[in-house]
Amino acid sequence: MLKNRLFGLLSRYTFRYPRLLVYILQASEYSIGDYLAWYHATSDFSRVEHRKHFEPTKKGLLLLAIVWTIVLGLAAAALALSYLRPVLPFYVLSLAIVASIPYVLPYLIIIPLVFIQCAVQPPIAYFVLRSARQILKKHKGLKIAIAGSFGKTTMREILKMVLSEGKKTAASPKNWNTPLGISRFVHTLSGNEDILIFELGEYYPGDIKKLCNLVQPDMGIITGVNEAHLEKFKSLERTAETIFELADYLGEKRMLGASQEVVDGSDRRGGTVIQPEQRRYGDKPMYVNGENALAQTYARPGHILYDRTRTGGWRVENPHTGLDGTTFTLAKSDMRLELQSGLLGLHQIGPLAAAAALALSLGLSPAQVKNGIAKTKPFEHRLEPKKDAGGVVMLDDSYNGNPDGVKAVIEFLASLSGHRRWYVTPGLVEMGEQTTAIHREIGRQLAQAQIENVILIRNSVTPYIEKGLGDASYGGK
């Protein structure tokens, strides 16, 4: 314990420390409250940048330059003090100033951050967003928006892989799912893309509506709703309402488009009367994950539900998954597609089937869809298998931070036979008032799946997992 504290203390006195503070701000979406909560909860800063890393954005680099200016300024002041008054008390005071720099720096950085956010960023953001909005307004490509508490990145990458087989497709990279991140992506476009795919991030109520006004999507996909950001949203209802702002936007867009084509109650395209529900939901697809109970509750007439059994008018048959990937058949009338993916878990069939059905509806051939699905493979840190020289398989799922993802992984482990299974977890964050219930349920799921070994990385939530294991009479270690 003493050794750990010593390493934690020394981790503040490294050249990486200023960058780590800026990284924490960046990873906290520059929310001062979230940044301070993270900082106060960190004892060893050498592990802060363990999985993700500082992104050299203009804002991040500017803050890093300011932080180093503060560090060098304080160090220079301490040196000048001891030089001008070379007596013991001033030597001690100089050393005290230098020693205190790592402890005052986390708070001093807030001053330039507030200045940047209040005085520098707004005018720049205004012009950047306006430029991106104009580019998107003129862009002829089909715009697909993806929203949800979980699974957005997986769906984005599946879609990009499949649609690229027959269309020139571009998708926002990494976690560029904020207004400025999406604008940054938009300014990289060549303008001749057939399809644009956007991941929409939700952090506070109203976020999805703002992003829809920027992106102006033509179709949408909602991957699900759960407790992933419950600390910020406070309730699942507010989370769902925010995510379904995508459906609201497309509904208004469809109604506007339909109303422009209706004259005296008739449709110019065929002379049939368009009913209100058809007018609202009938023109542009809105896919919703039917495997997620809350998303299914909020789904509306005309929305296309997808899950591991069907998507729209397509049926899923002969599903199978294992460590070598997932296979299934997509069937409709007399048409059958035998599909194989490198992704692991039956929970991936829904997104894969939705991507296949969407691609076929956009004119891709069955062969192109089959090739695209075949190219999908586990994404980094998302149920990614790694095999060592001794034959031990590790499933790296370290980017999984939501209850639905945990349930899917446990289900996949339960389906594996002939293996000794270990499950390692520190629990989940941002679960709000549902923290206790969610982690006890994780414990029960592990026990019911009969996972032989469970390793809990001790923190404030792991006792709840342990309690859930006990509630379900867990018989493993």
Side-chain angles (χ1 to χ4, degrees):
M1 185 65 73
L2 182 61
K3 184 179 179 181
N4 290 340
R5 289 182 179 177
L6 178 61
F7 278 122
L9 178 67
L10 293 176
S11 69
R12 298 172 184 264
Y13 293 91
T14 65
F15 285 106
R16 293 179 64 241
Y17 181 69
R19 189 185 74 187
L20 295 175
L21 292 178
V22 178
Y23 165 73
I24 293 175
L25 266 174
Q26 198 176 59
S28 302
E29 298 292 333
Y30 297 102
S31 165
I32 295 174
D34 292 346
Y35 158 74
L36 289 175
W38 188 341
Y39 169 73
H40 291 142
T42 304
S43 57
D44 183 358
F45 285 86
S46 66
R47 299 184 61 81
V48 164
E49 225 176 0
H50 187 61
R51 292 191 305 173
K52 297 183 180 181
H53 302 281
F54 169 72
E55 287 278 345
T57 61
K58 292 179 181 178
K59 185 175 180 179
L61 291 172
L62 177 59
L63 273 172
L64 186 57
I66 292 172
V67 170
W68 270 111
T69 301
I70 294 172
V71 171
L72 295 175
L74 290 173
L79 183 64
L81 189 64
S82 62
Y83 178 78
L84 294 173
R85 299 296 299 272
V87 292
L88 182 61
F90 284 88
Y91 283 136
V92 174
L93 181 59
S94 298
L95 287 172
I97 292 173
V98 172
S100 66
I101 289 175
Y103 294 92
V104 299
L105 193 60
Y107 304 99
L108 291 177
I109 193 177
I110 294 174
I111 299 172
L113 173 65
V114 171
F115 175 76
I116 291 171
Q117 289 184 320
C118 295
V120 178
Q121 186 170 311
I124 295 175
Y126 170 79
F127 288 107
V128 169
L129 292 173
R130 188 177 74 168
S131 173
R133 189 176 290 110
Q134 290 172 344
I135 292 172
L136 288 171
K137 189 173 183 179
K138 296 175 182 177
H139 202 292
K140 301 301 183 183
L142 180 76
K143 304 173 187 71
I144 303 174
I146 304 170
S149 299
F150 60 93
K152 295 188 295 290
T153 300
T154 297
M155 178 60 84
R156 182 193 74 199
E157 294 303 309
I158 291 173
L159 271 180
K160 182 182 177 182
M161 189 71 69
V162 175
L163 293 174
S164 293
E165 288 295 304
K167 305 282 186 180
K168 186 170 183 181
T169 304
S172 52
K174 303 178 184 178
N175 59 342
W176 292 11
N177 57 16
T178 63
L180 288 177
I182 288 174
S183 298
R184 186 178 172 189
F185 161 63
V186 169
H187 284 93
T188 68
L189 298 174
S190 62
N192 63 348
E193 293 86 359
D194 299 311
I195 297 176
L196 303 178
I197 304 172
F198 299 90
E199 180 181 325
L200 309 185
E202 79 290 338
Y203 300 95
Y204 298 97
D207 279 354
I208 299 298
K209 183 178 181 179
K210 292 176 184 176
L211 290 171
C212 284
N213 289 331
L214 169 64
V215 170
Q216 305 155 52
D218 300 303
M219 64 172 59
I221 300 173
I222 289 177
T223 59
V225 180
N226 67 16
E227 300 87 349
H229 300 298
L230 200 57
E231 282 190 2
K232 291 185 175 70
F233 284 100
K234 306 305 180 185
S235 73
L236 282 171
E237 289 73 19
R238 292 181 73 188
T239 305
E241 288 167 2
T242 298
I243 289 171
F244 271 81
E245 287 170 357
L246 172 57
D248 295 336
Y249 177 89
L250 288 173
E252 292 168 6
K253 192 170 183 178
R254 292 187 191 101
M255 181 176 285
L256 177 62
S259 64
Q260 291 173 343
E261 298 199 13
V262 174
V263 179
D264 298 329
S266 298
D267 183 353
R268 291 175 183 172
R269 292 166 294 184
T272 17
V273 174
I274 299 179
Q275 300 301 324
E277 284 300 332
Q278 293 174 316
R279 205 161 50 232
R280 186 166 175 79
Y281 302 116
D283 295 329
K284 298 180 185 296
M286 179 70 232
Y287 289 81
V288 177
N289 181 3
E291 213 158 296
N292 177 254
L294 197 52
Q296 189 172 13
T297 299
Y298 276 79
R300 300 157 189 176
H303 285 178
I304 301 171
L305 297 179
Y306 68 87
D307 58 34
R308 66 185 73 187
T309 65
R310 90 294 195 201
T311 177
W314 294 88
R315 303 184 312 279
V316 172
E317 299 175 354
N318 307 319
H320 175 75
T321 191
L323 290 172
D324 55 348
T326 301
T327 60
F328 62 99
T329 301
L330 203 57
K332 185 179 184 180
S333 301
D334 58 347
M335 188 175 181
R336 297 176 65 83
L337 277 75
E338 306 291 337
L339 301 175
Q340 181 171 1
S341 168
L343 295 173
L344 311 185
L346 294 178
H347 65 287
Q348 301 286 14
I349 290 179
L352 288 165
L358 191 152
L360 289 166
S361 74
L362 294 179
L364 271 72
S365 69
Q368 288 172 327
V369 170
K370 188 172 182 178
N371 289 338
I373 294 292
K375 290 178 181 179
T376 57
K377 59 182 181 180
F379 310 112
E380 188 177 24
H381 307 305
R382 291 176 173 88
L383 205 53
E384 177 189 12
K386 301 174 181 178
K387 192 171 184 178
D388 67 12
V392 175
V393 178
M394 181 184 76
L395 300 173
D396 178 359
D397 201 45
S398 53
Y399 278 11
N400 179 2
N402 71 89
D404 286 75
V406 170
K407 181 179 179 181
V409 171
I410 295 173
E411 179 188 80
F412 177 68
L413 288 176
S415 72
L416 300 177
S417 59
H419 300 273
R420 286 182 298 164
R421 298 155 300 178
W422 299 67
Y423 188 84
V424 186
T425 182
L428 303 174
V429 298
E430 291 190 339
M431 296 296 107
E433 62 183 17
Q434 293 294 315
T435 296
T436 301
I438 287 169
H439 287 93
R440 288 183 68 170
E441 178 59 25
I442 289 173
R444 285 191 286 269
Q445 290 169 4
L446 288 166
Q448 290 163 3
Q450 299 180 0
I451 306 300
E452 291 85 354
N453 304 276
V454 175
I455 298 178
L456 302 179
I457 302 174
R458 187 183 301 280
N459 60 37
S460 60
V461 302
T462 45
Y464 306 135
I465 300 177
E466 189 174 4
K467 183 68 168 63
L469 288 166
D471 292 342
S473 303
Y474 177 59
K477 295 180 181 179

